């Protein structure tokens, strides 16, 4: 390994494929450009099966690499915009008549320069942050599981109402979201600051 290269080795220790090693070598080729070489060291491959196995590894690894790269690019973009709690003192936002809003749910909104999504639960409308507090994964299109939203990146689930992580005792929680208020008389909907 020369100075400008880094090699990472992952090994499968047990189960199917035990003994397989994946060598990933990264080499600096130019500023903002990295060469990537991946070698699959697979024991006990039957004669004649290597090229088919290699093609399978290549296809799988290319897909995983592309997915990881997309995640990292998204995260970098989110870091650049400094996601977090919305600005305090943000004015209320009028969202119009309840029936018209319902037809657009789930609805993404921006409040205090931060992205949120309005969804309807059994007890009414709620907003939740669309940036996962783990690695800044995207929650804007994440499916609801009852009152919870599941992050597509690592599967953490968060309670839409409280923002708390559901599956573990964890300090991670969604950024405070504005409240969605429906005027009982006019049926107009507004976003207002959290309590
Ligand atoms: S980014 Fe990891 S669970 Fe959301």
């Amino acid at each position: 390994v020369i100075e400008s290269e880094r090699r990472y080795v992952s090994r499968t220790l047990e189960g199917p494929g035990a003994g397989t090693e994946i060598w990933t070598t990264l080499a600096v080729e130019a500023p903002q450009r990295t060469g990537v070489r991946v070698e699959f060291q697979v024991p006990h491959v039957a004669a004649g099966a290597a090229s088919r196995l290699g093609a399978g590894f290549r296809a799988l690894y290319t897909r995983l690499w592309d997915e990881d790269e997309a995640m990292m690019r998204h995260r970098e973009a989110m870091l650049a915009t400094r996601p977090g709690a919305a600005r305090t003192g943000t004015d209320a936002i009028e969202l119009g008549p309840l029936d018209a809003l319902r037809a657009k749910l789930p609805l993404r909104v921006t409040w205090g320069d931060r992205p949120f999504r309005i969804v309807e639960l059994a007890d009414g409308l709620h907003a939740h942050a669309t940036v996962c507090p783990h690695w800044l994964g995207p929650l804007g299109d994440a499916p609801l599981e009852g009152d919870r939203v599941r992050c597509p990146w690592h599967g953490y689930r968060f309670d839409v109402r409280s923002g708390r992580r559901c599956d573990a005792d964890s300090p991670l929680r969604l950024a405070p979201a504005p409240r969605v208020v429906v005027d009982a008389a006019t049926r107009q909907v507004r976003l207002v600051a959290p309590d």
Side-chain angles (χ1 to χ4, degrees):
V1 177
I2 61 175
E3 181 72 10
S4 61
E5 283 189 347
R6 291 279 185 282
R7 175 174 290 166
Y8 303 88
V9 178
S10 68
R11 284 186 194 89
T12 303
L13 298 178
E14 55 188 343
T20 297
E21 293 187 354
I22 301 176
W23 298 1
T24 304
T25 306
L26 307 178
V28 177
E29 294 185 342
Q32 305 298 317
R33 185 175 176 83
T34 303
V36 182
R37 187 175 70 247
V38 183
E39 297 166 57
F40 303 98
Q41 310 285 343
V42 185
H44 317 304
V45 177
S51 90
R52 187 165 43 83
L53 192 62
F57 267 112
R58 264 200 305 281
L60 176 64
Y61 208 78
T62 299
R63 180 170 64 77
L64 295 176
W65 187 280
D66 288 347
E67 287 175 358
D68 271 1
E69 187 175 296
M71 283 170 55
M72 292 305 105
R73 284 180 185 274
H74 173 91
R75 185 164 187 267
E76 195 172 295
M78 296 306 297
L79 283 171
T81 59
R82 301 166 62 84
R87 276 190 289 116
T88 55
T90 299
D91 292 336
I93 296 177
E94 303 294 338
L95 296 173
L98 176 59
D99 288 345
L101 179 72
R102 271 209 175 107
K104 295 186 267 183
L105 295 179
L107 177 68
R108 294 200 206 192
V109 293
T110 300
W111 190 80
D113 296 335
R114 303 298 179 209
F116 295 90
R117 182 172 71 162
I118 299 174
V119 296
E120 183 157 28
L121 305 182
D123 63 347
L125 301 173
H126 295 268
H128 71 79
T130 59
V131 178
C132 178
H134 182 218
W135 274 29
L136 312 182
L139 302 179
D141 293 319
L144 283 182
E145 297 180 355
D147 299 349
R148 298 164 176 186
V149 58
R150 177 191 286 273
C151 179
W153 281 8
H154 307 103
Y156 291 12
R157 298 189 303 166
F158 299 90
D159 183 286
V160 168
R161 293 188 188 85
S162 67
R164 290 201 184 90
R165 189 170 163 207
C166 304
D167 309 300
D169 186 13
S170 163
L172 281 182
R173 59 190 303 162
L174 299 175
R179 287 184 301 127
V180 188
V181 176
V182 181
D183 186 293
T186 65
R187 310 299 283 165
Q188 294 288 314
V189 186
R190 313 169 75 206
L191 274 188
V192 302
D195 292 329

